[in-house]
mmCIF file of all heavy atoms in Angstrom:
data_model
loop_
_atom_site.group_PDB
_atom_site.id
_atom_site.type_symbol
_atom_site.label_atom_id
_atom_site.label_comp_id
_atom_site.label_asym_id
_atom_site.label_seq_id
_atom_site.Cartn_x
_atom_site.Cartn_y
_atom_site.Cartn_z
ATOM 1 N N VAL A 223 -4.263 22.577 -11.055
ATOM 2 C CA VAL A 223 -2.823 22.300 -11.170
ATOM 3 C C VAL A 223 -2.049 23.566 -11.516
ATOM 4 O O VAL A 223 -1.126 23.973 -10.810
ATOM 5 C CB VAL A 223 -2.542 21.218 -12.241
ATOM 6 C CG1 VAL A 223 -1.037 20.920 -12.315
ATOM 7 C CG2 VAL A 223 -3.318 19.944 -11.932
ATOM 8 N N GLY A 224 -2.424 24.217 -12.622
ATOM 9 C CA GLY A 224 -1.690 25.382 -13.102
ATOM 10 C C GLY A 224 -1.043 25.075 -14.438
ATOM 11 O O GLY A 224 -1.517 24.229 -15.198
ATOM 12 N N ILE A 225 0.066 25.750 -14.737
ATOM 13 C CA ILE A 225 0.786 25.519 -15.988
ATOM 14 C C ILE A 225 1.475 24.159 -15.930
ATOM 15 O O ILE A 225 2.148 23.837 -14.956
ATOM 16 C CB ILE A 225 1.819 26.631 -16.240
ATOM 17 C CG1 ILE A 225 1.112 27.982 -16.432
ATOM 18 C CG2 ILE A 225 2.670 26.303 -17.465
ATOM 19 C CD1 ILE A 225 2.064 29.153 -16.518
ATOM 20 N N THR A 226 1.285 23.354 -16.963
ATOM 21 C CA THR A 226 1.972 22.069 -17.049
ATOM 22 C C THR A 226 2.713 21.979 -18.383
ATOM 23 O O THR A 226 2.400 22.694 -19.337
ATOM 24 C CB THR A 226 0.990 20.889 -16.940
ATOM 25 O OG1 THR A 226 -0.023 21.018 -17.950
ATOM 26 C CG2 THR A 226 0.323 20.866 -15.571
ATOM 27 N N MET A 227 3.726 21.080 -18.433
ATOM 28 C CA MET A 227 4.526 20.933 -19.645
ATOM 29 C C MET A 227 3.728 20.305 -20.780
ATOM 30 O O MET A 227 4.069 20.471 -21.956
ATOM 31 C CB MET A 227 5.774 20.098 -19.351
ATOM 32 C CG MET A 227 6.777 20.778 -18.445
ATOM 33 S SD MET A 227 8.249 19.761 -18.169
ATOM 34 C CE MET A 227 8.972 19.772 -19.822
ATOM 35 N N ALA A 228 2.701 19.559 -20.419
ATOM 36 C CA ALA A 228 1.842 18.931 -21.418
ATOM 37 C C ALA A 228 0.524 18.578 -20.751
ATOM 38 O O ALA A 228 0.460 18.409 -19.532
ATOM 39 C CB ALA A 228 2.506 17.678 -21.998
ATOM 40 N N CYS A 229 -0.502 18.449 -21.559
ATOM 41 C CA CYS A 229 -1.822 18.035 -21.060
ATOM 42 C C CYS A 229 -2.482 17.214 -22.158
ATOM 43 O O CYS A 229 -2.772 17.746 -23.234
ATOM 44 C CB CYS A 229 -2.669 19.250 -20.707
ATOM 45 S SG CYS A 229 -4.382 18.846 -20.244
ATOM 46 N N GLY A 230 -2.688 15.924 -21.888
ATOM 47 C CA GLY A 230 -3.231 15.049 -22.919
ATOM 48 C C GLY A 230 -4.641 15.410 -23.315
ATOM 49 O O GLY A 230 -4.959 15.522 -24.513
ATOM 50 N N SER A 231 -5.526 15.592 -22.328
ATOM 51 C CA SER A 231 -6.898 15.937 -22.675
ATOM 52 C C SER A 231 -6.954 17.335 -23.295
ATOM 53 O O SER A 231 -7.785 17.610 -24.165
ATOM 54 C CB SER A 231 -7.814 15.840 -21.449
ATOM 55 O OG SER A 231 -7.435 16.751 -20.440
ATOM 56 N N GLY A 232 -6.041 18.227 -22.867
ATOM 57 C CA GLY A 232 -5.964 19.552 -23.467
ATOM 58 C C GLY A 232 -5.527 19.489 -24.919
ATOM 59 O O GLY A 232 -6.030 20.230 -25.779
ATOM 60 N N ALA A 233 -4.570 18.595 -25.225
ATOM 61 C CA ALA A 233 -4.138 18.412 -26.611
ATOM 62 C C ALA A 233 -5.284 17.857 -27.446
ATOM 63 O O ALA A 233 -5.501 18.277 -28.592
ATOM 64 C CB ALA A 233 -2.935 17.479 -26.669
ATOM 65 N N CYS A 234 -6.046 16.900 -26.875
ATOM 66 C CA CYS A 234 -7.214 16.370 -27.580
ATOM 67 C C CYS A 234 -8.236 17.476 -27.822
ATOM 68 O O CYS A 234 -8.788 17.604 -28.927
ATOM 69 C CB CYS A 234 -7.839 15.245 -26.770
ATOM 70 S SG CYS A 234 -6.853 13.735 -26.686
ATOM 71 N N ALA A 235 -8.502 18.274 -26.788
ATOM 72 C CA ALA A 235 -9.452 19.372 -26.924
ATOM 73 C C ALA A 235 -8.996 20.356 -27.996
ATOM 74 O O ALA A 235 -9.811 20.853 -28.788
ATOM 75 C CB ALA A 235 -9.617 20.081 -25.583
ATOM 76 N N SER A 236 -7.699 20.628 -28.041
ATOM 77 C CA SER A 236 -7.175 21.557 -29.043
ATOM 78 C C SER A 236 -7.291 20.980 -30.443
ATOM 79 O O SER A 236 -7.662 21.683 -31.393
ATOM 80 C CB SER A 236 -5.713 21.891 -28.720
ATOM 81 O OG SER A 236 -5.610 22.572 -27.480
#
Side-chain angles (χ1 to χ4, degrees):
V223 182
I225 296 173
T226 56
M227 292 181 67
C229 174
S231 62
C234 290
S236 296

